[in-house]
Coordinates of all heavy atoms in Angstrom, one line a residue:
T1 N 128.7 148.0 35.1 CA 127.7 147.2 35.8 C 128.2 146.9 37.2 O 127.3 146.9 38.1 CB 127.6 145.8 35.0 OG1 127.1 146.2 33.7 CG2 126.5 145.0 35.7
A2 N 129.5 146.7 37.4 CA 130.0 146.4 38.8 C 129.8 147.6 39.7 O 129.4 147.4 40.9 CB 131.4 146.0 38.7
I3 N 129.9 148.8 39.1 CA 129.7 150.0 39.9 C 128.2 150.3 40.2 O 127.8 150.6 41.3 CB 130.4 151.2 39.2 CG1 131.9 151.1 39.3 CG2 129.9 152.5 39.9 CD1 132.6 152.2 38.5
M4 N 127.4 150.2 39.2 CA 126.0 150.5 39.3 C 125.2 149.4 39.9 O 124.0 149.6 40.3 CB 125.4 150.8 37.9 CG 125.9 152.1 37.4 SD 124.9 152.5 35.9 CE 125.4 154.1 35.6
Q5 N 125.7 148.2 40.0 CA 125.0 147.1 40.7 C 123.8 146.7 39.9 O 122.9 146.1 40.5 CB 124.7 147.4 42.1 CG 125.8 147.7 43.0 CD 126.6 146.5 43.4 OE1 126.0 145.5 43.8 NE2 127.9 146.6 43.3
S6 N 123.7 146.9 38.6 CA 122.5 146.6 37.9 C 122.9 146.4 36.4 O 123.1 147.4 35.7 CB 121.5 147.6 38.0 OG 120.4 147.3 37.2
S7 N 122.9 145.2 35.9 CA 123.1 144.9 34.5 C 121.9 145.4 33.7 O 122.0 145.8 32.5 CB 123.4 143.5 34.2 OG 122.3 142.7 34.6
T8 N 120.7 145.3 34.3 CA 119.5 145.8 33.6 C 119.6 147.3 33.3 O 119.3 147.7 32.2 CB 118.3 145.6 34.5 OG1 118.2 144.2 34.8 CG2 117.0 146.0 33.8
L9 N 120.1 148.0 34.2 CA 120.3 149.5 34.0 C 121.3 149.8 32.9 O 121.1 150.6 32.1 CB 120.7 150.2 35.3 CG 120.8 151.7 35.3 CD1 119.4 152.3 34.9 CD2 121.3 152.2 36.6
V10 N 122.4 149.1 33.0 CA 123.4 149.3 31.9 C 122.9 148.9 30.5 O 123.1 149.6 29.6 CB 124.7 148.5 32.2 CG1 125.7 148.5 31.1 CG2 125.3 149.0 33.5
T11 N 122.1 147.8 30.5 CA 121.5 147.4 29.2 C 120.5 148.4 28.7 O 120.5 148.8 27.6 CB 120.8 146.0 29.4 OG1 121.8 145.1 29.8 CG2 120.2 145.5 28.1
V12 N 119.7 148.9 29.7 CA 118.7 150.0 29.3 C 119.4 151.2 28.8 O 119.0 151.8 27.8 CB 117.8 150.2 30.5 CG1 117.0 151.5 30.3 CG2 116.9 149.1 30.7
M13 N 120.4 151.6 29.5 CA 121.2 152.8 29.1 C 121.8 152.6 27.7 O 121.8 153.5 26.9 CB 122.2 153.2 30.2 CG 121.6 153.8 31.4 SD 122.8 154.0 32.7 CE 123.9 155.2 32.0
T14 N 122.4 151.4 27.5 CA 123.0 151.2 26.2 C 122.0 151.2 25.1 O 122.2 151.8 24.0 CB 123.7 149.8 26.3 OG1 124.7 149.8 27.3 CG2 124.4 149.5 25.0
I15 N 120.8 150.6 25.4 CA 119.7 150.7 24.4 C 119.3 152.1 24.1 O 119.0 152.5 23.0 CB 118.6 149.8 24.8 CG1 119.0 148.3 24.7 CG2 117.3 150.0 23.9 CD1 118.1 147.3 25.3
S16 N 119.3 152.9 25.2 CA 118.9 154.3 25.0 C 120.0 155.0 24.2 O 119.6 155.9 23.3 CB 118.8 155.0 26.4 OG 117.8 154.5 27.2
F17 N 121.2 154.7 24.4 CA 122.3 155.3 23.6 C 122.2 154.9 22.1 O 122.4 155.6 21.2 CB 123.7 155.0 24.1 CG 124.0 155.6 25.4 CD1 124.8 155.0 26.3 CD2 123.6 156.9 25.7 CE1 125.2 155.6 27.5 CE2 123.9 157.5 26.9 CZ 124.7 156.9 27.8
L18 N 121.8 153.6 21.9 CA 121.6 153.1 20.6 C 120.4 153.8 19.9 O 120.5 154.2 18.7 CB 121.4 151.6 20.6 CG 122.6 150.7 20.9 CD1 122.1 149.3 21.1 CD2 123.5 150.8 19.7
N19 N 119.4 154.0 20.7 CA 118.2 154.7 20.2 C 118.5 156.1 19.8 O 117.9 156.7 18.9 CB 117.1 154.6 21.2 CG 115.8 155.1 20.7 OD1 115.4 155.0 19.5 ND2 115.0 155.7 21.6
A20 N 119.4 156.8 20.6 CA 119.8 158.2 20.3 C 120.9 158.3 19.3 O 121.4 159.4 19.1 CB 120.2 158.9 21.6
N21 N 121.3 157.2 18.7 CA 122.4 157.1 17.7 C 123.7 157.6 18.2 O 124.5 158.2 17.5 CB 122.0 157.9 16.4 CG 120.9 157.2 15.6 OD1 120.8 156.0 15.6 ND2 120.0 158.1 15.1
L22 N 123.9 157.3 19.5 CA 125.2 157.7 20.1 C 126.2 156.5 20.0 O 127.4 156.7 20.2 CB 125.0 158.1 21.6 CG 124.2 159.3 21.8 CD1 124.0 159.6 23.3 CD2 124.9 160.5 21.2
L23 N 125.7 155.3 19.8 CA 126.5 154.1 19.7 C 126.1 153.3 18.5 O 124.9 153.4 18.1 CB 126.4 153.2 20.9 CG 126.9 153.7 22.3 CD1 126.5 152.7 23.3 CD2 128.4 153.8 22.2
T24 N 127.0 152.6 17.9 CA 126.6 151.6 16.9 C 126.1 150.3 17.5 O 126.4 150.1 18.7 CB 127.8 151.4 15.9 OG1 128.8 150.7 16.6 CG2 128.3 152.7 15.3
L25 N 125.5 149.5 16.7 CA 125.1 148.2 17.2 C 126.2 147.4 17.7 O 126.1 146.7 18.7 CB 124.3 147.5 16.1 CG 123.7 146.1 16.5 CD1 122.7 146.3 17.6 CD2 123.0 145.5 15.3
F26 N 127.3 147.4 17.0 CA 128.5 146.6 17.3 C 129.0 147.1 18.7 O 129.4 146.2 19.6 CB 129.6 146.8 16.3 CG 130.9 146.2 16.6 CD1 131.1 144.8 16.4 CD2 132.0 146.9 17.0 CE1 132.3 144.2 16.7 CE2 133.2 146.4 17.3 CZ 133.4 145.0 17.2
Q27 N 129.1 148.4 18.9 CA 129.5 148.9 20.2 C 128.6 148.5 21.3 O 129.0 148.2 22.4 CB 129.7 150.4 20.2 CG 130.8 150.9 19.2 CD 130.7 152.3 18.9 OE1 129.6 152.9 18.9 NE2 131.8 152.9 18.5

């Protein structure tokens, strides 16, 4: 988030990774 300057983008990317089953909910 500090590098990308956007917590929204990191959150969206994380949700995309969750949607693609690349991460667990805990992660």
